[in-house]
Each structure stands twice: as structure tokens, then as C-alpha cells.
Amino acid sequence: MRQGLAKSVPQLVVGLVLAAVTMGAWAAWLGWDQQRDVQADGTTTGPYEAWQVIGLVLTLLALVYGAVSRDYIAAVAGIPVGLTAAAYVDWSDDSSGLFLVGVVMVMVGSLAVTAGVSALIAFLTRHGRRSRRTT
């Protein structure tokens, strides 16, 4: 029992750190841009540009790789938690209430993608370790 607790505490701490860093990454990449762009035909786009979202994704990919390659696989759950919280805070001023649909989509999508990427990184990392040992 005690050994299981000793293993889960670092996972929890790393998960909380990842959630906080993820929220900071959202603020750095997306949080400052709240202006929608009005096109010539009257439609609006934004507020985020593609390069901002790509920057956030690459930042989070580095976080996932860093955590998974150090065997903090359970801690990777902190990333979807951080993204969901950041989306909620950023979008909660929408008076229509539809922001909750977007927040749920961020939660489900980020959980699925983070789990899939984590599994892929874990597989490749372990496979790479095994192949180095056999040579």
C-alpha cells in the first residue's frame, strides 16, 4: 500500500504542474487575442490565428513527450484538465451559454488526442529502449 502511494504522489504533482503549465501556455498563445476579424463580406473569423493554435499544440506536444518519456503517463491527464480550465475561463464571458459546448469539445478532444499521443510516445520510447539494449 505504501509503495503504491509513493508512486502516485509524484504522478499527482507532475499532473498538477502540467495542468498549470498548460493553462499558462494557453494564456501565452491564445489568451491575449480576443479580437474577431471582420471580413469584407461581413463574416467574422477568429479570434485565434492558425499560427497561435499550432504554437500551442507544439508546446503541449513537448510537454506530453517530456512527461511520458519519464514514465509520468498518469500525469499527462493534467494537460486536458489545464486546457479545459483555460477554455472555460477564456470563453465564459459568452452570454449565449454556448461556450460550454466548446469547453466540452476541448475536454473530450484534448483527452482523446493526449491519450493517443501518449500511447504512441510510450510505445516508441519503450521500443527504442529495447532495440538499444539488444545491440
Side-chain angles (χ1 to χ4, degrees):
M1 169 84 173
R2 193 168 194 151
Q3 195 172 30
L5 182 62
K7 287 182 179 181
S8 63
V9 169
Q11 293 281 343
L12 178 63
V13 170
V14 172
L16 292 172
V17 168
L18 283 174
V21 170
T22 299
M23 290 178 71
W26 177 290
W29 285 106
L30 306 178
W32 55 271
D33 190 358
Q34 301 297 317
Q35 188 69 30
R36 293 196 175 270
D37 300 322
V38 180
Q39 306 300 317
D41 64 357
T43 60
T44 59
T45 61
Y48 313 125
E49 300 292 331
W51 65 268
Q52 292 172 283
V53 177
I54 291 167
L56 177 62
V57 168
L58 292 175
T59 301
L60 297 178
L61 190 59
L63 292 175
V64 170
Y65 178 79
V68 172
S69 65
R70 289 170 180 79
D71 291 328
Y72 289 112
I73 294 177
V76 172
I79 291 173
V81 168
L83 280 176
T84 303
Y88 181 85
V89 168
D90 194 17
W91 300 340
S92 63
D93 61 349
D94 175 37
S95 61
S96 72
L98 289 176
F99 77 94
L100 286 175
V101 174
V103 170
V104 169
M105 290 173 67
V106 166
M107 179 182 65
V108 171
S110 65
L111 186 59
V113 170
T114 303
V117 169
S118 297
L120 179 63
I121 292 170
F123 172 78
L124 293 174
T125 303
R126 289 191 181 111
H127 181 70
R129 287 180 194 157
R130 278 192 215 129
S131 66
R132 281 188 294 237
R133 280 188 233 150
T134 60
T135 56

